[in-house]
Amino acid sequence: MKILVTGHNGYIGSVLAPMLIDAGHEVRGVDSYWFEHRRLFPFREDFDTARLDVRMITTGRLEGLDAVVHLAALCNDPMGDLNPRATEEINFRAAVELARLAKTAGVRRFVLASSCSLYGASDGTLIDEEAPFHPVSVYGRSKVLAERGLATLAGDDFSPVYLRFATAYGVSPKLRADLVVNNLVGYAVITGDVLLKSDGIAWRPLIHVEDIARAILAVCETPRELTHNQAYNVGSTEENYTVRDIADRVAAQVEGSRVRHADKRFRDARNYRVSCEKIQKTVTGFDPKWDLDLGIAQLENAFRRYAVAYADFVGARFERLPQLKAMVDRGELDQDLRREDASDIVTGD
């Protein structure tokens, strides 16, 4: 298949694109490259890529494709809260417009990176894809709107799929420190404290970044009629934990570390446990390989191997919010998070 991956230079995309290529697919990439130099280690990018804001993609770039995998977004609650207007514009309006253009260009499959964040606040009971939406953030609401917008385009000639990812974790070339497991392990290795910033009682479903990529690959290769206009919780039903449970697991595995509560703890409004039975029953070949304990061990090894410093861990190298703020402050991005060189073409790395 010929597949366009938006956000190919990001946390998920830098794992996904090489996996798609290794599976025999032809990959093209589009990325804003906001975090171009924020990498833990080199990765494969020897395919056609473009430095392009997703809000600027035209039909011509989509012609001849079999599928679009749309990862590009302002991800997670702090990023969404930085600029709610831009979050809605990028995560919702640009996603629907990209899907409309893809349909016009004859692209038949469109995979949206959605999120379990759209469930928002629940009572902790196990919920499936039919559960009502209760988003508690701009980011969560943007994913609800994007899914609904894409559904209006679904038809015989255009097949959207909505992958509601559990909370990601694990090693990626474009490491993120603003994900709960990555954050807790990083603090444990670098400082000796498993720093719990919330009260820890909220539930989170988890999925390793490599398993996210496997799920996307599997959806692209599953017969279209099985996935047409379907939403899937992506993860493992067994991998639901409270944040405190995660912290305790990290402390138990990272030698010499202990759980410490931050001086100012917050009550996390997001609270959801999800069932992932649907994707495992429907999508051909999706079989998660990772669990939390394996992921903690992988992260600990990476933080030690690459000698990640505290300043990098909490700063703009691995925290995306400080990087975006710095780019706005330097005038590299305007208030709508656009930049003048966003249409420059880049081929390769």
Side-chain angles (χ1 to χ4, degrees):
M1 299 175 67
K2 294 182 179 179
I3 303 173
L4 175 71
V5 178
T6 69
H8 73 275
N9 191 255
Y11 178 69
I12 297 172
S14 59
V15 175
L16 172 64
M19 188 180 293
L20 291 173
I21 293 170
D22 289 343
H25 301 293
E26 179 183 328
V27 175
R28 301 173 190 171
V30 167
D31 200 289
S32 67
Y33 286 91
W34 287 345
F35 313 103
E36 181 174 3
H37 304 296
R38 313 299 174 178
R39 62 181 65 190
L40 185 63
F41 52 83
F43 59 97
R44 181 176 185 177
E45 205 175 1
D46 56 343
F47 51 92
D48 288 340
T49 64
R51 184 187 303 269
L52 191 64
D53 189 310
V54 294
R55 292 169 288 187
M56 299 174 65
I57 296 177
T58 60
T59 307
R61 191 165 294 278
L62 303 169
E63 292 174 348
L65 296 173
D66 298 299
V68 171
V69 176
H70 186 43
L71 302 176
L74 280 178
C75 293
N76 80 14
D77 293 355
M79 293 273 284
D81 293 340
L82 172 67
N83 190 324
R85 183 179 65 182
T87 299
E88 180 174 301
E89 182 184 6
I90 294 169
N91 293 7
F92 161 43
R93 300 188 189 284
V96 176
E97 176 62 8
L98 176 61
R100 187 190 67 79
L101 293 173
K103 182 175 181 178
T104 300
V107 181
R108 294 180 61 82
R109 304 179 76 148
F110 192 100
V111 181
L112 175 70
S114 190
S115 170
C116 286
S117 289
L118 48 67
Y119 297 123
S122 72
D123 60 6
T125 59
L126 203 63
I127 56 178
D128 63 16
E129 290 82 357
E130 301 304 314
F133 301 144
H134 295 294
V136 296
S137 65
V138 174
Y139 172 69
R141 289 193 293 274
S142 73
K143 292 301 183 181
V144 172
L145 293 171
E147 285 195 17
R148 289 174 174 168
L150 263 65
T152 65
L153 300 172
D156 292 341
D157 59 346
F158 187 73
S159 186
V161 183
Y162 322 107
L163 298 185
R164 298 172 184 169
F165 295 126
T167 300
Y169 69 95
V171 174
S172 160
K174 302 300 291 289
L175 184 72
R176 283 177 55 184
D178 57 351
L179 298 166
V180 61
V181 180
N182 297 4
N183 190 265
L184 292 172
V185 176
Y187 269 105
V189 172
I190 297 168
T191 72
D193 289 329
V194 184
L195 185 62
L196 201 56
K197 300 175 183 178
S198 70
D199 55 22
I201 65 175
W203 283 93
R204 286 290 183 281
L206 301 177
I207 183 171
H208 194 280
V209 62
E210 291 181 13
D211 286 331
I212 288 177
R214 288 190 182 94
I216 295 169
L217 172 61
V219 164
C220 288
E221 295 182 339
T222 296
R224 178 178 176 273
E225 62 271 15
L226 297 179
T227 61
H228 174 70
N229 203 29
Q230 293 294 307
Y232 297 98
N233 295 335
V234 183
S236 299
T237 304
E238 298 76 19
E239 292 290 292
N240 285 280
Y241 301 90
T242 67
V243 176
R244 178 63 200 231
D245 287 340
I246 299 169
D248 288 341
R249 291 282 191 102
V250 173
Q253 286 189 233
V254 179
E255 186 175 355
S257 68
R258 61 173 187 171
V259 176
R260 180 173 73 84
H261 292 274
D263 294 336
K264 293 183 179 180
R265 285 177 284 172
F266 66 93
R267 170 65 65 88
D268 195 337
R270 296 168 300 161
N271 181 57
Y272 40 83
R273 297 172 61 222
V274 302
S275 168
C276 300
E277 300 305 312
K278 180 180 176 181
I279 189 170
Q280 303 221 6
K281 291 178 180 178
T282 307
V283 175
T284 307
F286 176 57
D287 182 22
K289 305 297 184 185
W290 290 85
D291 62 25
L292 177 57
D293 290 336
L294 288 173
I296 292 171
Q298 183 206 34
L299 284 160
E300 179 184 5
N301 178 67
F303 280 117
R304 297 192 190 283
R305 176 182 178 184
Y306 295 102
V308 176
Y310 180 78
D312 286 334
F313 181 67
V314 301
R317 183 179 178 193
F318 297 124
E319 284 271 9
R320 295 168 313 147
L321 190 58
Q323 167 70 355
L324 270 190
K325 288 181 176 178
M327 292 180 74
V328 172
D329 290 344
R330 292 193 298 262
E332 296 171 20
L333 294 176
D334 65 20
Q335 292 303 311
D336 292 322
L337 304 183
R338 296 176 183 267
R339 64 182 185 184
E340 293 181 0
D341 66 344
S343 60
D344 291 346
I345 302 302
V346 176
T347 301
D349 189 6

